[in-house]
Amino acid sequence: MKEYNEDDAIRHMRASVDGADAYDDDQILNLIDIIFDYYDDNGGLDIDCDTDADDDIEAIAAHASALIARDKGSIIRQEHIAPLVAAEIEYEISLI
């Protein structure tokens, strides 16, 4: 398994989602932090290729959407959250 690299994750997320280039590294890193906080809060959830990752993506995206909606400093548009979460998880899976 390869090691997680935030810079590679950011590049993958930007390349995977139209419009994501409008967000600076800090905005995307905030979303990555929200994803990993979700994992921590939910018993160390790991995305497993043998499970239905779509269910995980939906739950994580809903959690992230709620937090980002309350974050006055975030400029990430709501319609980009689920695709960005999916791209981040796709990156994680690529490391396995």
Side-chain angles (χ1 to χ4, degrees), residues 11-66:
R11 273 191 290 280
H12 180 78
M13 292 166 77
R14 279 197 182 112
S16 299
V17 178
D18 287 337
D21 54 343
Y23 310 125
D24 65 25
D25 287 1
D26 289 337
Q27 292 289 322
I28 296 176
L29 280 172
N30 183 50
L31 179 57
I32 291 171
D33 287 344
I34 289 170
I35 293 168
F36 280 90
D37 287 346
Y38 179 90
Y39 291 161
D40 285 344
D41 293 344
N42 288 280
L45 172 68
D46 288 320
I47 298 301
D48 184 347
C49 293
D50 296 332
T51 64
D52 188 358
D54 289 339
D55 290 342
D56 296 330
I57 292 168
E58 287 179 26
I60 295 166
H63 173 75
S65 289

Side-chain angles (χ1 to χ4, degrees), residues 58-78:
E58 287 179 26
I60 295 166
H63 173 75
S65 289
L67 292 177
I68 288 174
R70 290 191 307 248
D71 182 355
K72 302 269 190 243
S74 180
I75 62 167
I76 296 178
R77 296 173 57 158
Q78 288 292 317

